[in-house]
Amino acid sequence: MIAPKMRNSLVYLPRQRIKDMRFTMNMKHLCSLALLLIASTARAGDIDAYFVDTLWPGDGEPIKNAVIIVEGGKIQSVGSATDVTIPPQAKRHNLNGRTVMPGIVAMETSIGIGSTDDERNVTPEYRAIDAFDFYGEYDQYLSSGVTSVHIAPANRRLLPGQSGMVKLGKGLPDTKRLKDTSGIKVVLSRSALNPPTVYEPPVGAVSVDRPLEPTRPQIGASYLEQVSGLAALLESSREADAVNDARLEALAFAIANKSPFRIVAETQSEVEAAIKLAKRFELNWMLVFPTSVVPFEDESMWKETDFVGVVLRPDASPGAVANPAIPTDENEAFSPSWKNAAKLIAMGLDSKVAIQPGSDDDLKDVMFLAKSFLRSGIKIEQVIRMMTANPAKMSGLEGKIGVLRAGADADFLVLTGEPLRDGTEILETYVNGKKEYQSVGESSGSLYSASAIYTPTGVVSNGMIAVANGKLIGVGKEVSIPTNADRKHFPNGVIVPGFIDVGSQLGLGSPLTAQVGLETKLGDLLAMDDESIQAARKGGLTTAFLSSTQLPSPVVAFKLGDKPRVLKDPVALRFALSGTVSAAESSIKRTLATAKQYTDSWTKYESEYADYERKKKEYDDAKKKYDEALKAAEAKKAEEAKKLEEAKKTDGGATQPTEKKEAPAPVTQLPASDSKPNGVTKPEDVGSSKQEKPSQEKPSEVAELKAPEMPKEPQKPRVLANLEPFRDLFAKKIVAMVEVKEDALFDVAIRVFKEEYGLALVIVGGDVASKMVETAHKHSIPIVVGPSLTKTVRDKTVNIPIELSLHSVPFLFQSNAAARAAGLADAVSYSVYKGLGRQVALSGLTDRASQIFQLGSVGSLEVGKDADFVVLSGSPLDLASEVLAVVIDGQIVYEKDSQ
Amino acid sequence: MKTIKIAVCSLVSFWGACNTGMGNDTLAIVGGKIITLAGEPIEKGTIIVRDGKIEAVGADIKVPLEAKVLDITGQVVMPGFIDPHTSEGMGQANERNENVPFLSVVDGIDPVMEFFEECRRSGVTTAAIVPGNSTLIGGHGVVLKTSGQYVNDMIVKRDVGMKISLRPTSGSRMAHISKLRRELEKAKIAVEKKNQPEAEKGDKPAEATGEANNEQKPTEQPGETNAEAPADGAPPPSAAELSRGQDAMMAVVQGKLPVFLYCDTAMDVTTAQSLVKDYSLNATFVLGRNTYKAAELLKGTKQPVVLDPTLIFWETDPRTKKDSKVILTKVFQDAGVPFVFQTSESSARTTSASSYFWYQAAVAVKNGMSEGEALKTLSIVPAKMLGIDEFVGSIEAGKDADLVILTGEPLKLETWVEKTIVRGEVVYDRSQDEKLARLLAPSAD
């Protein structure tokens, strides 16, 4: 390994021995490390197979539907799920919808070693690895996807020491040690000029081998000094008879062993100096943080050198206004790093460019910062490569880290989606096959994405739905993502609003066949663990109506969550018209008439009461005024009496009577401003007017202010519980659902409910309605169809929804069933198959029902509404589509895979 | 020996009035329970002490006529406690200079310091006094008896070990470690240089010498702890080198001179282990309390580790802000790492229970250690660790008569140290302890 030139020049020198020893030491170390890794690999048995949607290998194109086989902390094989043979004993991990990429390899950090500057400017013998805290807390970096870091000593010294490579995470230090030394750091940039905090150390506690030696002068007051000093150091390290000096030995060792010199050089002149040094001393070298790559344009300059690569610093800052270098006189050739990257790649250096944020703090956002490189048209693969495979290669760890391929360490990240895409989160970080980080924290919501979402404004393709607290907080192509969102991705899924069944027998565990009073709150009776509810919602139902089969009955609307939630109780009153026309009509008329009377009595009372309230308010105001006035009058009276008394005491009785007689005149004229200028006798004037006023006003006040009369409260009508729901019915707050079985009764229903009483009417009976479409259309009466959507007329099958739709009659659906309600959508799909418009059919199951019954918070996918929706594998109301998931109030109540 | 007697006599003289015949050379301790730490405890056993050594110990031993009999019926006698690592008893724990391998604690010992009195009061008869932890290479430690007037009379073992600390004294950790490596490297080269002439005799090609020597493990005979003696034919180190402690460092890298390697944090343990490997150090790990995270790494350590005096403490997780209790004895016991205790410094001595060895052992017992193991940790384990178990550490015939007589079972809160005996002489007697009496007297003033 030692350069031949040196071997010739050295006969015997302890220095060479040190080198040899160090080298063998390193080799030993590496061997033991390798042995250790082999040992850990040999500890077989634990094989994990991770199935992912997309895999970015770090050095190439992404692979779809990939699998990674991990054994003993190493990747055994990786590739498309169809190509890779999965060992039978492998533990399978299904990372559906997830993307995997290699752990990020960060360059030039000082993570875990602190950044204390030494008191000297040239300390190449220091090793960063000695200061690395293997037991430190690195979760913040692991959570940002960084699994391996290059640790380098502080930046404000010319030769601050040797850097190392380690992995982050828990586990024994030996499993995390990648390289004890990975090059000598050289800082040619301004930050090392006039090295801060370097001052003459006090004489005293200097080391024992030079007790009285004066402080050695420091290199680095000027740029020239820096470069020439560095050259001198490198030169003397090559001298055969170099003194036994740790610093020179370290440099000589690095040169001899082709250990890279990591030269931090920013401006063009610094970069040029770096290239020249590399050439002159045949350095294996790397350029760190240049803001100019102009010197590279002349290939003859650097082509012969042993050039490892360039580390570029993004010009952006996470969440802040960046402070990048700007072109100055000194640095005319400045250009942004993304342009530099593009230039270097164009020169064929695509495997020699790495990205590294300028500070360890920014490392947490390295993925975001890396996006800036996309500006110059660099492909995502290349940008990822610059964060993973390239830095690994530049650190001499090619194939071990930074790539996902057989034989490499199992260091990888699990992402929610494509890397560098906005909103993509890191969910898990694996180091050596062990999960070192998992995204935790209180999830503030969930995010669903699918290939199509049915919204009131149209179908959004490849859209998202954000949910928080059971409500929809975003629907569309790009929505704000809740922090730590639980993400569900349905690549081919179609999301539609949850279906509404406006007539079911769900909710009580068994059908309700008893006669119930109209005042009954059925919502209070709903059962908690109704199995039929669980069955029904598998068909996409999220809201159902319940009423008794014995009509009339109240109807409740409720959600089919694990705990049924009442949406509106009652939502309607359900009546049945049967028998002969006249009997039916007179019967229903009687019912309604009684109810109307009752309602009217209440309406009257209410209006009277409102009137009373208004009057009461007036009375209260008047009373208040009266009381105040009375009080004021009394106060004035008292004051007057007092004044009188005082006046008597001071003036004597003589003048007062005359004043009193004159008094009325000034009072009437008196605006005070008039009397002010010539107010010689002002005190007297004022005094007299004050005395006079009460005597004038008091009688009038008392006369005017009569105690107001208290209004009388109207009498409350008697409450009749069974008629109470009719008040809402007549107020059109709830709907009258009328079951009609015969054509003639259809007219009765309209005549009585609609025309006579002007109620909100929905007719249940698609069978009849399909014959009465004209009437229905005329009065625009919504029709509830179901459970059967067809009927046979003279051997001809009539599809009722289609018939209604063709005549613009609005229609809704009911199942009239319990568990079998799950099939409602499938039933409707037959009509769609037969030609019913998909949108209009869907509307009948969702938003139209919500509108007609004034359910408000359900029926459509709009921001602010309840998060009730169904994920389908294809078009809605298509028998070919299956239900993938059902969400009610933001909770997944059914999911296909989990069953 | 003579001077010791004089010293002991003078110490003894002020209570001699009531204890006639204490100057006797033979002592028989009878009637008490003997915890020998070399076998099962002996109920109502007898220990015969002659000329400062234990002559016999057992249940049925005849008391010689000339012996002064010390009847300790109802009490318990144990081997005197051994402090495995302390930096007290000298004027100052560390020099300002951080690289002083040539210094020895022996030169800094002040036998009249309160520390020694306090040791005797709490039953400590032997202490390894080692330079403090604020250093790089801090100098030689020494093992002393805790009773004596002149330091030379107290010495049990010189050159018990070199203190090396991995905690940075100033500047960065890597600078500190770098300096340390450099010193060790220098010593290693010096050792090789010394061996060079031998190697060249063997007709080996000159170029291969370096590598050959590296492979070759130190050839010197073991057992000689002082590296000053010149090896055959090798040039002796120069006076200047010697004055810088070169010899001591050479002994260190040859594994001849043990090292007390202080690790402040868990990360230091990693570094320490690589140093031990690279320079074949014979190291005893002295651990700061945060090293517990690296307990797993210390599994299989030859020597027991020296635990921090604070055995129980609370730690706050930086991320979750949750507090968790760390019990060092439990962590190391679970990791299978043998350990010995330290006590906290004298500044905290009167207020903190952790300044007593029996308390430290009791903490370990409370947290899962067997009582027998815990008692051994007080005496025989540190004796073996320090290489002085030939003389002390258990009650066996032939060993020094360093004993502690307790009023009851050890590790019980109500138990007192009744008497401490060093080399057969009673050096502490609770009934004569005026300071203790004054401290415990209710409102004496």
Side-chain angles (χ1 to χ4, degrees):
Chain A
M1 255 336 220
I2 290 180
K5 194 162 108 196
M6 298 195 64
R7 191 172 294 196
N8 295 339
S9 65
L10 298 174
V11 182
Y12 160 71
L13 268 176
R15 187 156 60 80
Q16 191 198 348
R17 302 160 130 276
I18 299 171
K19 271 182 232 157
D20 290 349
M21 274 151 43
R22 279 192 186 158
F23 179 65
T24 44
M25 222 164 67
N26 273 6
M27 282 311 288
K28 268 189 209 163
H29 215 111
L30 283 173
C31 289
S32 65
L33 195 75
L35 275 172
L36 202 126
L37 286 165
I38 289 164
S40 65
T41 317
R43 182 176 42 84
D46 285 355
I47 303 180
D48 294 277
Y50 299 89
F51 293 84
V52 299
D53 260 23
T54 316
L55 180 135
W56 296 72
D59 55 355
E61 299 275 328
I63 306 167
K64 283 274 169 197
N65 292 322
V67 65
I68 315 172
I69 312 283
V70 175
E71 186 178 2
K74 293 247 170 206
I75 296 174
Q76 194 208 61
S77 51
V78 68
S80 170
T82 50
D83 302 343
V84 175
T85 41
I86 294 142
Q89 75 271 36
K91 200 172 155 200
R92 286 160 176 262
H93 304 267
N94 202 346
L95 302 176
N96 257 349
R98 305 289 183 233
T99 300
V100 160
M101 67 175 274
I104 293 168
V105 181
M107 303 283 258
E108 305 295 332
T109 74
S110 43
I111 288 169
I113 59 168
S115 52
T116 330
D117 293 312
D118 197 73
E119 62 197 15
R120 292 182 295 159
N121 200 18
V122 177
T123 54
E125 76 275 25
Y126 289 3
R127 303 194 317 166
I129 193 102
D130 286 339
F132 180 72
D133 186 356
F134 283 102
Y135 292 88
E137 175 76 30
Y138 303 116
D139 271 11
Q140 52 174 335
Y141 301 111
L142 287 166
S143 68
S144 334
V146 180
T147 55
S148 299
V149 291
H150 166 249
I151 45 172
N155 250 331
R156 304 193 297 178
R157 297 290 181 264
L158 179 59
L159 283 168
Q162 302 169 25
S163 47
M165 286 289 292
V166 291
K167 286 193 184 185
L168 301 179
K170 297 177 184 62
L172 293 176
D174 274 348
T175 63
K176 295 185 288 175
R177 205 186 274 268
L178 285 168
K179 276 196 159 195
D180 279 2
T181 56
S182 66
I184 296 228
K185 183 161 175 176
V186 182
V187 182
L188 276 185
S189 71
R190 316 204 113 248
S191 57
L193 273 190
N194 281 320
T197 71
V198 166
Y199 46 87
E200 298 227 328
V203 178
V206 288
S207 82
V208 63
D209 52 9
R210 47 180 185 102
L212 292 171
E213 208 175 337
T215 312
R216 294 175 194 187
Q218 301 281 354
I219 304 169
S222 70
Y223 177 62
L224 177 69
E225 202 178 9
Q226 235 179 9
V227 177
S228 57
L230 187 58
L233 277 167
L234 289 169
E235 191 64 60
S236 51
S237 79
R238 296 208 294 191
E239 300 275 322
D241 56 347
V243 284
N244 187 9
D245 185 302
R247 294 168 289 183
L248 297 183
E249 277 169 12
L251 291 174
F253 181 75
I255 295 175
N257 284 297
K258 285 283 171 199
S259 187
F261 279 71
R262 311 176 84 111
I263 306 176
V264 180
E266 294 180 9
T267 63
Q268 188 176 340
S269 52
E270 287 161 10
V271 173
E272 271 167 17
I275 294 174
K276 278 175 192 160
L277 280 172
K279 230 174 155 180
R280 178 173 162 195
F281 295 99
E282 296 168 16
L283 302 179
N284 181 287
W285 72 294
M286 189 187 297
L287 187 62
V288 179
F289 297 159
T291 56
S292 160
V293 292
V294 174
F296 278 84
E297 281 163 16
D298 181 4
E299 292 203 350
S300 65
M301 286 282 288
W302 59 273
K303 260 285 153 86
E304 308 142 33
T305 63
D306 214 338
F307 178 61
V308 179
V310 179
V311 180
L312 290 173
R313 176 168 52 192
D315 300 304
S317 223
V321 179
N323 187 20
I326 46 164
T328 58
D329 291 346
E330 290 168 30
N331 191 13
E332 284 170 17
F334 164 83
S335 71
S337 54
W338 48 277
K339 276 193 184 164
N340 291 339
K343 264 189 210 168
L344 293 167
I345 289 165
M347 275 182 238
L349 293 173
D350 54 336
S351 67
K352 291 191 173 182
V353 184
I355 300 174
Q356 178 58 29
S359 78
D360 292 351
D361 218 30
D362 287 356
L363 191 55
K364 286 175 251 165
D365 292 296
V366 56
M367 294 265 230
F368 165 73
L369 296 175
K371 279 193 82 163
S372 65
F373 288 88
L374 298 172
R375 287 185 193 182
S376 50
I378 302 173
K379 278 166 52 183
I380 291 189
E381 290 98 284
Q382 174 65 21
V383 174
I384 287 173
R385 192 176 169 188
M386 298 196 301
M387 290 191 287
T388 56
N390 281 3
K393 190 181 168 203
M394 286 158 69
S395 308
L397 293 164
E398 188 178 10
K400 177 168 171 61
I401 55 170
V403 286
L404 297 180
R405 71 161 89 116
D409 288 358
D411 299 353
F412 58 89
L413 317 176
V414 179
L415 310 173
T416 56
E418 185 181 306
L420 307 190
R421 205 175 131 177
D422 291 343
T424 295
E425 271 181 63
I426 296 170
L427 296 174
E428 287 164 4
T429 303
Y430 289 78
V431 179
N432 288 338
K434 285 202 191 94
K435 196 192 284 176
E436 288 283 3
Y437 164 81
Q438 177 155 33
S439 161
V440 282
E442 204 63 12
S443 159
S444 62
S446 14
L447 186 77
Y448 296 82
S449 45
S451 69
I453 296 173
Y454 280 67
T455 72
T457 48
V459 180
V460 179
S461 60
N462 293 322
M464 297 186 225
I465 291 183
V467 176
N469 300 321
K471 298 270 179 195
L472 298 171
I473 58 164
V475 180
K477 204 102 180 138
E478 301 265 340
V479 301
S480 298
I481 300 164
T483 325
N484 282 324
D486 298 325
R487 294 164 188 250
K488 287 269 171 197
H489 179 55
F490 297 95
N492 299 311
V494 175
I495 299 183
V496 296
F499 302 143
I500 301 171
D501 181 352
V502 300
S504 77
Q505 291 172 354
L506 289 164
L508 299 180
S510 58
L512 178 59
T513 49
Q515 180 80 50
V516 294
L518 286 177
E519 73 279 17
T520 314
K521 294 279 180 205
L522 290 175
D524 298 342
L525 306 176
L526 293 175
M528 274 287 284
D529 296 307
D530 186 355
E531 279 174 17
S532 50
I533 285 185
Q534 288 167 23
R537 65 194 182 196
K538 286 184 193 171
L541 289 189
T542 59
T543 303
F545 287 20
L546 167 71
S547 58
S548 169
T549 50
Q550 291 293 316
L551 299 179
S553 161
V555 184
V556 62
F558 66 100
K559 296 259 198 104
L560 302 182
D562 287 334
K563 188 183 168 195
R565 182 163 79 83
V566 172
L567 209 52
K568 201 171 176 190
D569 188 13
V571 67
L573 296 180
R574 191 159 171 147
F575 303 93
L577 294 184
S578 55
T580 61
V581 171
S582 55
E585 187 166 354
S586 65
S587 160
I588 193 66
K589 266 188 170 170
R590 201 163 47 242
T591 312
L592 288 178
T594 321
K596 178 75 178 157
Q597 204 181 7
Y598 175 76
T599 307
D600 284 348
S601 72
W602 272 95
T603 319
K604 186 165 163 263
Y605 165 74
E606 265 159 18
S607 75
E608 277 174 3
Y609 190 80
D611 199 37
Y612 159 76
E613 289 245 290
R614 184 173 46 76
K615 278 185 183 158
K616 180 87 181 6
K617 197 160 178 284
E618 275 171 16
Y619 162 77
D620 285 345
D621 289 349
K623 181 87 166 76
K624 205 172 160 197
K625 250 185 217 160
Y626 172 74
D627 286 349
E628 270 167 17
L630 216 60
K631 227 182 225 170
E634 249 151 51
K636 271 176 188 166
K637 210 171 167 187
E639 202 181 335
E640 185 193 7
K642 208 175 160 193
K643 279 262 168 74
L644 266 171
E645 231 162 75
E646 274 174 17
K648 265 179 197 166
K649 273 181 192 166
T650 49
D651 300 342
T655 48
Q656 276 204 345
T658 48
E659 292 266 337
K660 246 185 183 175
K661 275 173 195 168
E662 291 165 18
V667 168
T668 44
Q669 289 173 355
L670 197 128
S673 53
D674 279 5
S675 62
K676 257 178 192 169
N678 50 4
V680 189
T681 56
K682 208 171 139 194
E684 275 186 354
D685 275 358
V686 174
S688 65
S689 67
K690 267 196 178 165
Q691 282 167 359
E692 213 50 39
K693 257 184 186 166
S695 58
Q696 270 198 332
E697 284 171 0
K698 204 175 148 189
S700 65
E701 265 177 22
V702 175
E704 278 171 30
L705 286 179
K706 267 192 191 147
E709 206 177 318
M710 184 117 155
K712 221 169 132 191
E713 200 179 325
Q715 207 191 348
K716 225 176 181 172
R718 203 153 56 90
V719 175
L720 295 171
N722 62 333
L723 294 178
E724 271 296 291
F726 283 96
R727 289 173 56 198
D728 280 346
L729 188 69
F730 285 109
K732 287 193 181 175
K733 284 181 192 159
I734 62 174
V735 178
M737 293 177 85
V738 182
E739 267 183 35
V740 172
K741 295 234 163 62
E742 282 163 56
D743 299 2
L745 293 173
F746 193 87
D747 287 330
V748 173
I750 291 175
R751 204 157 55 234
V752 178
F753 286 88
K754 184 90 185 172
E755 290 179 339
E756 194 170 340
Y757 289 102
L759 301 175
L761 172 67
V762 169
I763 289 178
V764 183
D767 193 2
V768 177
S770 60
K771 282 180 272 175
M772 314 291 286
V773 281
E774 296 299 339
T775 325
H777 174 64
K778 205 177 107 198
H779 296 278
S780 61
I781 305 292
I783 308 297
V784 175
V785 189
S788 174
L789 304 190
T790 56
K791 64 168 186 178
T792 313
V793 180
R794 286 191 294 282
D795 294 344
K796 231 180 99 188
T797 305
V798 176
N799 200 308
I800 303 165
I802 296 176
E803 198 66 21
L804 295 173
S805 179
L806 291 176
H807 291 83
S808 308
V809 177
F811 52 89
L812 311 172
F813 298 100
Q814 70 167 13
S815 66
N816 218 355
R820 285 186 298 109
L824 186 62
D826 286 349
V828 178
S829 70
Y830 176 65
S831 301
V832 176
Y833 175 71
K834 283 289 181 188
L836 181 65
R838 197 181 303 280
Q839 198 69 261
V840 76
L842 184 64
S843 177
L845 271 174
T846 57
D847 60 338
R848 196 183 303 128
S850 168
Q851 275 160 25
I852 290 167
F853 289 97
Q854 301 167 48
L855 297 177
S857 63
V858 300
S860 60
L861 297 175
E862 282 172 274
V863 172
K865 297 228 171 186
D866 289 356
D868 296 356
F869 52 86
V870 184
V871 187
L872 301 162
S873 63
S875 295
L877 304 180
D878 184 338
L879 204 58
S881 304
E882 72 176 318
V883 175
L884 299 177
V886 179
V887 175
I888 296 178
D889 287 333
Q891 302 288 322
I892 299 178
V893 294
Y894 166 72
E895 197 176 359
K896 186 194 154 202
D897 278 343
S898 65
Q899 296 292 306
Chain B
M1 242 359 230
K2 204 178 174 190
T3 36
I4 282 193
K5 267 184 210 159
I6 296 167
V8 171
C9 281
S10 63
L11 270 171
V12 160
S13 60
F14 68 91
W15 81 69
C18 42
N19 278 320
T20 49
M22 271 300 284
N24 224 334
D25 275 340
T26 312
L27 180 69
I29 300 166
V30 299
K33 177 183 175 183
I34 305 170
I35 297 174
T36 63
L37 298 188
E40 288 302 302
I42 304 163
E43 297 291 341
K44 290 200 177 296
T46 303
I47 304 171
I48 309 293
V49 176
R50 195 188 295 276
D51 291 333
K53 296 268 182 195
I54 296 165
E55 195 183 65
V57 58
D60 308 307
I61 295 204
K62 213 183 153 206
V63 176
L65 267 174
E66 72 274 21
K68 182 200 178 307
V69 175
L70 189 58
D71 189 349
I72 56 162
T73 305
Q75 299 186 334
V76 176
V77 61
M78 275 185 73
F81 301 152
I82 297 173
D83 188 334
H85 184 274
T86 179
S87 300
E88 292 189 75
M90 50 182 165
Q92 116 190 22
N94 285 117
E95 300 297 316
R96 273 191 72 195
N97 198 329
E98 59 180 15
N99 183 9
V100 286
F102 47 86
L103 294 186
S104 173
V105 160
V106 177
D107 302 324
I109 296 295
D110 182 357
V112 300
M113 280 183 88
E114 210 197 339
F115 165 74
F116 293 104
E117 185 190 326
E118 202 57 60
C119 277
R120 299 190 292 265
R121 183 174 285 128
S122 31
V124 177
T125 56
T126 309
I129 302 179
V130 181
N133 299 330
S134 302
T135 188
L136 177 66
I137 301 171
H140 294 271
V142 65
V143 183
L144 299 176
K145 298 272 183 185
T146 57
S147 165
Q149 196 169 20
Y150 302 108
V151 67
N152 283 339
D153 303 332
M154 296 158 75
I155 292 173
V156 177
K157 189 181 183 187
R158 250 179 223 277
D159 297 338
V160 65
M162 177 67 70
K163 182 50 160 292
I164 292 181
S165 173
L166 298 185
R167 182 171 68 190
T169 43
S170 62
S172 70
R173 196 166 231 103
M174 59 185 172
H176 191 81
I177 304 296
S178 173
K179 279 177 204 154
L180 178 57
R181 266 182 202 281
R182 176 107 193 111
E183 291 303 321
L184 291 168
E185 192 72 52
K186 259 159 65 179
K188 206 170 170 180
I189 292 166
V191 170
E192 276 173 29
K193 214 187 223 172
K194 212 170 108 184
N195 296 339
Q196 188 81 29
E198 279 180 73
E200 277 182 351
K201 273 179 214 164
D203 262 15
K204 282 179 184 169
E207 275 197 36
T209 326
E211 276 168 13
N213 273 343
N214 185 42
E215 299 298 325
Q216 206 173 323
K217 284 292 155 202
T219 50
E220 269 108 328
Q221 297 302 311
E224 177 66 74
T225 51
N226 200 336
E228 266 179 75
D232 313 318
S238 72
E241 279 167 340
L242 282 178
S243 75
R244 289 175 195 164
Q246 177 82 286
D247 51 338
M249 290 309 287
M250 283 164 73
V252 163
V253 294
Q254 291 174 91
K256 290 177 184 173
L257 181 61
V259 174
F260 287 96
L261 202 48
Y262 177 67
C263 302
D264 188 37
T265 64
M267 61 190 279
D268 289 337
V269 176
T270 325
T271 314
Q273 284 191 322
S274 73
L275 289 174
V276 166
K277 212 170 94 200
D278 294 351
Y279 298 102
S280 36
L281 305 179
N282 173 11
T284 296
F285 286 83
V286 181
L287 303 177
R289 65 182 204 179
N290 288 326
T291 52
Y292 75 90
K293 292 171 191 154
E296 212 180 324
L297 287 184
L298 291 161
K299 204 185 285 178
T301 314
K302 272 177 273 167
Q303 290 279 44
V305 300
V306 182
L307 295 187
D308 191 81
T310 313
L311 293 178
I312 297 180
F313 55 92
W314 288 84
E315 234 184 25
T316 309
D317 188 292
R319 256 189 343 135
T320 61
K321 304 285 172 220
K322 269 190 186 158
D323 290 331
S324 58
K325 191 182 187 178
V326 180
I327 303 165
L328 290 185
T329 58
K330 194 166 162 35
V331 173
F332 283 89
Q333 201 186 342
D334 291 350
V337 181
F339 52 82
V340 292
F341 302 114
Q342 286 185 85
T343 52
S344 50
E345 284 176 22
S346 56
S347 53
R349 194 166 282 274
T350 51
T351 51
S352 169
S354 64
S355 49
Y356 302 105
F357 277 101
W358 59 265
Y359 181 84
Q360 304 290 65
V363 167
V365 170
K366 191 187 171 190
N367 292 294
M369 202 179 192
S370 79
E371 188 165 335
E373 285 300 308
L375 291 177
K376 281 184 182 167
T377 307
L378 298 180
S379 191
I380 186 67
V381 177
K384 281 182 179 158
M385 180 189 117
L386 297 169
I388 53 171
D389 53 321
E390 196 187 328
F391 316 108
V392 294
S394 60
I395 303 178
E396 283 176 279
K399 287 200 177 181
D400 287 0
D402 291 358
L403 306 168
V404 54
I405 297 170
L406 305 163
T407 59
E409 285 296 325
L411 314 188
K412 288 277 176 291
L413 197 61
E414 62 270 23
T415 297
W416 291 90
V417 171
E418 189 61 43
K419 286 186 175 66
T420 304
I421 295 170
V422 174
R423 285 177 178 146
E425 306 291 350
V426 177
V427 295
Y428 171 78
D429 187 339
R430 188 161 69 104
S431 64
Q432 308 295 322
D433 190 347
E434 284 175 31
K435 284 186 184 174
L436 190 67
R438 214 177 300 146
L439 191 69
L440 297 175
S443 62
D445 299 288

